[in-house]
Amino acid sequence: MKISQESPAFIALVQASAGAAGAVFASFVLQPVEVAKTRIQISHGGDDSTVATMRQIARGPAGEFQPWNLWMGAGGKCTENGAKNFAYFYIYDGMNAIVKQYMAATTGVKLILGYVAGVGNTLINMPLEVVSTKLQLDDAKGLGTFGMLQRILNEDGFGALYTGLGFNIALCINPAIQNTILDKLKEALLRQMKRRNPEVTPALSAFQAFTLGAFAKAVATVVTYPLVRLKTNLQAGTAPQPAAEPPQPVMSRTGSGRMTRTRSVELIRAMSFRQDKKPEIQTLWQRFIELYRGVYSALLKSTLQSALLYMVKDQVEFSIERFFHLTAQAFFRKTGQVKLGPFSGRPLAS
């Protein structure tokens, strides 16, 4: 085993580790906004202010101040985002490094690679996403990640861990758009910096990485938000229904414990209505705006999280790469043989 900086596997490992570190940091810092965003997305009426929702969550049943409520499900969300970003960057950067050896990485190619990486990541990590979403609801107090997982398996079965899989597969275009925009902007900025000072290897500053990450995520979020909100409703088990219609749960238990789902078109149509107003007085424009209910909190959370992720990722990337090289030097010879102290290079006794 010979470690090389040019190896696609090594590039993928460094990028995945740096991405996971950035994701965990960003997730913990922004968990209060994440909890508020989830509550707003699954509501179908009333105030959708992020600050007001956060204040409401921070108040306990008796009105006492309980700020730790804003970090409900933080462990699950940090684990989810760390695992998701490790898987995503490993697949994406690994394929990207391989493709660059044979062809130019055009915008179309990067979009395809980003989508494929998103699908792979979704299939691996979706159960963590479902668990972390449910951990942010009121009835999850006192339950940890494994406690919620056990509850889902006991009550709804293994299939519930993949609730909204079709929407997640469609939403894989979100990170594809985000990373394509980010890569193109980053390449253009680095080329400009190189032209200004050819003698210095250009690198993004923390502020530049923060800004590019925020902009790329904002574009991807606005494009895909209605599907994001619908997926959250599915995973939380809430039903977006017009006020004039009898409430029907998105997921209902049958005698065998299996789950049934309403059709996607009906869900999207239902989600466009506010339940605290009569359907007949809601205009088409108002219904369109309702599809973006909670978009402000989603933009705040997703753009800041993406910005923090890429800022941390770019700053720790060199350190992680250096760590892996030192580890390789400690355990492997240049020939690829494993170092085993006095037995190094010799066959072990059978």
Side-chain angles (χ1 to χ4, degrees), residues 173-182 185 211-226 292 295 299 302-303 306:
I173 194 63
N174 184 302
I177 293 171
Q178 174 188 348
N179 280 284
T180 300
I181 292 173
L182 183 72
L185 291 175
T211 305
L212 294 185
F215 176 77
K217 187 61 177 180
V219 174
T221 298
V222 170
V223 170
T224 61
Y225 184 75
Y292 280 83
V295 71
L299 277 171
S302 62
T303 54
S306 182

Side-chain angles (χ1 to χ4, degrees), residues 3-11 97 101:
I3 305 276
S4 169
Q5 279 189 307
E6 305 303 322
S7 164
F10 181 75
I11 293 171
Q101 296 176 355

Side-chain angles (χ1 to χ4, degrees), residues 30-42 48-55 57 70 136 294 297:
L30 296 172
Q31 183 64 12
V33 182
E34 169 67 21
V35 174
K37 181 205 71 166
T38 299
R39 299 290 184 89
I40 294 170
Q41 285 179 342
I42 65 175
D48 62 352
S49 164
T50 304
V51 176
T53 303
M54 289 173 65
R55 280 202 302 261
I57 294 169
L70 293 168
Q136 295 168 41
S297 59

